[in-house]
Amino acid sequence: EAGVTQFPSHSVIEKGQTVTLRCDPISGHDNLYWYRRVMGKEIKFLLHFVKESKQDESGMPNNRFLAERTGGTYSTLKVQPAELEDSGVYFCASSPAGVGIQYFGAGTRLSVL
Amino acid sequence: AQSVTQLGSHVSVSEGALVLLRCNYSSSVPPYLFWYVQYPNQGLQLLLKYTTGATLVKGINGFEAEFKKSETSFHLTKPSAHMSDAAEYFCAVSEGTGGFKTIFGAGTRLFVKA
């Protein structure tokens, strides 16, 4: 069974550009989460989808970040326009309904220059 | 609000020595507690979890952790360190099973000396 996959593994962009990160959860997992780790700090929650609906987006830093989950399958996280402070590693995780374990992807390392 | 504090951003041990990584948490409800490990260029891997029941939890690769409610701690231990244990370790807390966001500590990088 395939795990959580994230694309790209690394993205380098200039300030002001747009970047889209993608996450493919484990098949059948209703819950999908996005987290971010900035420069050696703690991993912070961004948002949580249940199927295609946003359950909790309290961690989204500002309106430059837009997350979608099409048809309850894969999810994208768009940053537009990117700022220097957006640099970090973005993790995606998924879990089945009613199960307390989240399965994490390898992350996307975003570098904004 | 929930929070997690990991004591020591870096821990260095000799191969064969005891590994002790400290974690304290705060939670207004009975917590679900986790330890994750991240090896270089890999994703987060679950080492072990505490939800309910036995307070001593055994995980993969010989690691275990003990939930101590009175001390609000969930320290991670391994009797004998191996070179392959060198990685970054994250303690985390969640309000419940599935459907709830996870709060992470800042991480502890473990170095193992030959």
Side-chain angles (χ1 to χ4, degrees):
Chain A
E1 179 182 292
V4 176
T5 53
Q6 294 187 243
F7 306 96
S9 58
H10 193 182
S11 179
V12 181
I13 62 172
E14 294 188 351
K15 176 183 172 180
Q17 290 185 322
T18 297
V19 63
T20 301
L21 314 181
R22 172 169 169 148
C23 169
D24 287 73
I26 294 172
S27 178
H29 283 194
D30 287 345
N31 295 292
L32 188 148
Y33 306 81
W34 283 98
Y35 295 86
R36 176 175 76 169
R37 189 183 192 198
V38 175
M39 282 303 291
K41 295 191 175 181
E42 65 269 24
I43 300 167
K44 287 198 170 179
F45 168 84
L46 295 179
L47 87 160
H48 167 213
F49 284 98
V50 177
K51 297 185 180 178
E52 66 275 10
S53 300
K54 292 176 185 175
Q55 183 76 11
D56 180 354
E57 52 184 328
S58 61
M60 294 288 266
N62 52 59
N63 59 10
R64 295 186 293 103
F65 289 75
L66 175 64
E68 295 179 326
R69 189 178 183 191
T70 306
T73 55
Y74 71 91
S75 174
T76 57
L77 180 64
K78 180 189 287 188
V79 185
Q80 180 181 27
E83 299 290 344
L84 299 179
E85 63 264 25
D86 301 332
S87 296
V89 180
Y90 290 76
F91 291 102
C92 175
S94 70
S95 70
V99 174
I101 300 173
Q102 295 180 21
Y103 298 85
F104 282 80
T108 293
R109 183 174 296 277
L110 175 63
S111 300
V112 183
L113 306 179
Chain B
Q2 295 177 310
S3 67
V4 177
T5 302
Q6 291 185 239
L7 301 178
S9 58
H10 296 83
V11 170
S12 183
V13 300
S14 298
E15 193 172 21
L18 171 72
V19 175
L20 171 59
L21 305 183
R22 299 179 187 272
C23 172
N24 289 88
Y25 70 92
S26 69
S27 178
S28 58
V29 298
Y32 289 72
L33 296 160
F34 307 86
W35 275 98
Y36 287 89
V37 60
Q38 185 180 22
Y39 298 102
N41 301 315
Q42 295 187 27
L44 294 168
Q45 180 180 2
L46 182 69
L47 269 181
L48 49 79
K49 71 181 189 298
Y50 168 80
T51 54
T52 59
T55 56
L56 182 61
V57 180
K58 295 187 183 298
I60 62 172
N61 301 337
F63 284 94
E64 62 182 36
E66 185 171 10
F67 169 58
K68 292 187 176 180
K69 184 178 179 180
S70 61
E71 297 176 10
T72 60
S73 69
F74 192 57
H75 301 331
L76 180 71
T77 61
K78 181 174 180 177
S80 177
H82 191 273
M83 296 296 288
S84 61
D85 295 327
E88 191 161 20
Y89 293 79
F90 296 91
C91 182
V93 63
S94 168
E95 288 182 345
T97 58
F100 293 96
K101 64 186 179 185
T102 301
I103 308 299
F104 288 86
T108 297
R109 187 168 295 278
L110 176 66
F111 297 92
V112 182
K113 299 175 292 186

